[in-house]
Every structure is written in C-alpha cells, then in structure tokens.
Amino acid sequence: MSVEMHIQRSNVSILFLENYPLINSMRLHHLKFGWWNVSLSPPRSKSKGNPENYQTVCNVLIDTLTTHELSVLAICEVSSADVNEIERCLEGTPFKIQSFDHDVGQTRYDTAVIYNSLSVEISHIEDLKRFPRDQVIKIGQVIQVVDLREKDIFKLVLCHWPSRVNTSGESRRYLAAEGLYHATSDMMRNNEHIIVMGDFNSSPYDRELLDGLKATRCHEAVRKHPTELFYNPFWRALSPKEIYNYTMKDKKHFPSGSHRYKDPYGEYWHTFDQIIFSGNFIGSSVWHLNESTATALSTDLLISSILDKSSIIDHLPVVCEIIKHP
C-alpha cells in the first residue's frame, strides 16, 4: 500500500469517527437532548401549518438533529397534522417522531418527540395535571427514554406551561411547578434520572421554577441535596453571549436566552425554554451533565427568523448533553 493511500484511508477513518462519536472508543458514552417550541399550532390558536412554514421548520429540525447529533428532540406547539408533515421530512433518516398531542379540558397537550431510533427508544408513561376549581392545569407529560447501548432508563418530562399573556398565568404556572415537584419527588428519592424540559413561560429566577420546582443554579446545594433539588444550567443563558464595548455602539440586537418578545417591563429577550436536571446528574451517579453544552442555538438563520416579523419562528432550540462516567 502506498503512503498516499494510507494517509487517505486514515483521513477517512478520522472523519468517520468525528461524525459518529458514539462509536469512538476514545470518547465517553453520551446522549444529547433538545427542546424547541416550533410555533406551528399553539393551543387555542389557529394553526399556522402551511407548506412554507413546514419547510422552514423541517429545515431547522433536520439541521439541529444532525449538526448537534441529538438522540432526543422534543417539540411543542404541534398538532397531529403537523407531526404527519414532519414525519415525511424525516423519511430516509434514523429519526422517528411520536406525537403526544391530545385534548384535555378546554386546552390540549401539544407535544411530540423526535428521536434517533438507533440510539434510544421512547414510550409514554403518563400525563400530569391538576384540577383547581374545575380548571385543568397541564403540569407535563412523562416520557420514558431507554438508552439502547447501556439500557439505562431516563424519565423525560415535557412541559408547556400557561402563557404570560393572561394575568392568571403566573398562579397557574406556580401550581404546575408545585405539582411537578410533588410528582417527581419519589422518583428523585429512588435515584431515578429525571430531565425536565419545556417552554415554561418563566425565567430561571421566577418563583415557579426557583421555589415551586426547586430548580437552583447552586452546584453545592444540589450536590448536598441531590434527592431534593433540581439543577438548572440555563441561568447561564440569561445574559447576552456578547459582552458590550464601544465597537458595538451601532449594534441593534443582543440576543440572549431563547425567546424574543417585549414584555410590559421592557425586556426583549427571555430564557423561557430550559432543560433542568435531577440532582443525581451533578456528581452522585454515573451520568453527568456536560454543562458547557447547555445552550440556546442562536444561529444566524434562527436569529434572522426571530427578528423577521413575517416568520413564525419566535423561539430558539435549546440543547444539552449528558455523559456516562463511573
């Protein structure tokens, strides 16, 4: 074999391993998760599903799934009809989609999960809800995720909490947070691995997440009380990625977080989409959060779409990675 051929084959091997790190024996076993509010069919609103919007959403989905090597990408504001269209876009790939959309009371659950069928399998466990004064509050949907390589099991809770548009939203979100903490307390005491993700319509510092769900930013507190506290890495997303100086004096937009809309207090960017972890991911089990990967995906295409008033996109996808290490 010539030296040139040997180098070419070596380069191909390196490229293959870089593109498929799960089979690279030099890299720790990992799984990547994501969440995105795709804005196609919000509950109680007219569907925005049309060929142009489906193409836009599918382009982002495929790019996000492949570029970031996601095993699981949960989405919300989708209907069963939207899921059928997305399923067509996924044909010929290892990615499958399962809809969890259905009516509940005067509203509906509006979620679906796209997953790599070569990496994980998923199944629906239960819907969590509360009924204060004959109202229905959607707490979340519990999905079981099984890692096909290690056979480890994770509980994934998908949340789309009440909007901030109505004044009743805050109290309803707090009830959802309290209900979710109560529903997951036994799981945490049993050392189950829980990942809560969603569009909470709340910032990490709001009382529903900080007090109701007990999702904190403090590593030391979580390490000391891993069966009582959740860890929220998306506190780090509150500030813009860019640090201001005089060279930015003409810059108009400073994206941060995952969602852009002007609230009554004048803020434009908000960290409403988050992925939150049970305490055992912070040092008390073989699975660990790789916190540097927890971020909102602010590509030029996504940011330009959010700033374009004619685009349906108003949320950024958020992603994270967990790694197995004894």
Side-chain angles (χ1 to χ4, degrees):
M1 179 186 298
S2 69
V3 173
E4 183 179 356
M5 288 180 63
H6 177 74
I7 292 174
Q8 287 177 345
R9 291 189 179 183
S10 296
N11 287 340
V12 169
S13 298
I14 291 171
L15 180 62
F16 183 84
L17 289 173
E18 287 178 345
N19 287 337
Y20 299 90
L22 286 177
I23 64 172
N24 186 347
S25 61
M26 299 301 292
R27 183 169 179 177
L28 297 171
H29 181 45
H30 71 293
L31 295 172
K32 291 187 176 182
F33 294 81
W35 165 271
W36 187 30
N37 181 335
V38 301
S39 305
L40 281 169
S41 297
R44 300 182 180 181
S45 298
K46 184 178 179 180
S47 173
K48 303 170 190 173
N50 60 50
E52 181 181 357
N53 287 340
Y54 284 138
Q55 189 62 56
T56 298
V57 168
C58 284
N59 287 344
V60 175
L61 287 172
I62 294 295
D63 179 67
T64 302
L65 288 162
T66 56
T67 301
H68 297 277
E69 300 170 337
L70 299 184
S71 295
V72 175
L73 175 59
I75 56 178
C76 76
E77 295 198 0
V78 290
S79 66
S80 297
D82 300 330
V83 169
N84 291 337
E85 294 295 327
I86 294 171
E87 189 170 30
R88 292 189 182 96
C89 298
L90 299 174
E91 289 178 358
T93 76
F95 295 103
K96 310 296 182 185
I97 185 168
Q98 189 167 336
S99 174
F100 301 109
D101 163 68
H102 65 87
D103 292 335
V104 53
Q106 298 300 311
T107 184
R108 65 183 178 88
Y109 289 101
D110 60 334
T111 60
V113 173
I114 304 171
Y115 62 100
N116 186 334
S117 59
L118 303 178
S119 175
V120 298
E121 62 182 24
I122 68 166
S123 58
H124 176 263
I125 297 178
E126 63 177 322
D127 295 334
L128 304 174
K129 45 191 175 288
R130 299 183 76 171
F131 301 94
R133 298 185 295 277
D134 298 323
Q135 302 178 65
V136 177
I137 294 180
K138 300 178 297 178
I139 295 174
Q141 293 174 289
V142 184
I143 310 299
Q144 180 169 282
V145 179
V146 180
D147 172 27
L148 294 179
R149 173 172 156 174
E150 302 287 340
K151 305 303 179 185
D152 291 330
I153 296 174
F154 305 90
K155 296 291 176 58
L156 187 65
V157 186
L158 312 180
C159 302
H160 189 194
W161 289 355
S163 169
R164 300 175 81 91
V165 174
N166 298 318
T167 55
S168 64
E170 183 177 355
S171 62
R172 291 167 65 86
R173 290 192 299 275
Y174 192 83
L175 286 172
E178 272 191 332
L180 180 53
Y181 186 77
H182 177 75
T184 55
S185 291
D186 286 343
M187 298 181 197
M188 287 205 289
R189 282 192 288 268
N190 291 333
N191 202 35
E192 295 185 51
H193 289 93
I194 308 164
I195 301 173
V196 181
M197 60 171 65
D199 174 3
F200 299 97
N201 278 303
S202 299
S203 296
Y205 51 79
D206 285 328
R207 66 186 288 264
E208 47 265 43
L209 288 179
L210 193 56
D211 298 330
L213 187 57
K214 297 177 175 49
T216 179
R217 63 182 176 86
C218 182
H219 291 117
E220 291 186 29
V222 175
R223 288 172 67 89
K224 186 173 182 179
H225 306 285
T227 63
E228 299 176 47
L229 298 175
F230 283 94
Y231 180 71
N232 187 355
F234 280 84
W235 279 82
R236 299 182 185 276
L238 289 170
S239 299
K241 293 181 180 179
E242 296 178 291
I243 299 175
Y244 181 81
N245 61 53
Y246 69 91
T247 65
M248 300 178 183
K249 62 182 180 180
D250 296 322
K251 188 175 176 63
K252 294 182 179 179
H253 304 291
F254 293 83
S256 63
S258 65
H259 178 49
R260 188 180 191 273
Y261 92 100
K262 185 178 179 180
D263 71 14
Y265 300 101
E267 289 189 347
Y268 287 84
W269 289 91
H270 307 268
T271 304
F272 289 167
D273 304 272
Q274 301 156 61
I275 305 176
I276 298 169
F277 298 84
S278 54
N280 51 4
F281 283 100
I282 312 297
S284 62
S285 79
V286 296
W287 282 98
H288 305 266
L289 168 65
N290 184 12
E291 191 167 6
S292 65
T293 65
T295 187
L297 302 180
S298 52
T299 65
D300 290 341
L301 173 61
L302 283 164
I303 295 298
S304 63
S305 295
I306 282 183
L307 297 175
D308 180 358
K309 293 182 180 179
S310 67
S311 171
I312 68 165
I313 294 177
D314 60 356
H315 287 257
L316 298 173
V318 293
V319 298
C320 69
E321 178 185 59
I322 57 173
I323 291 177
K324 189 170 188 179
H325 186 269

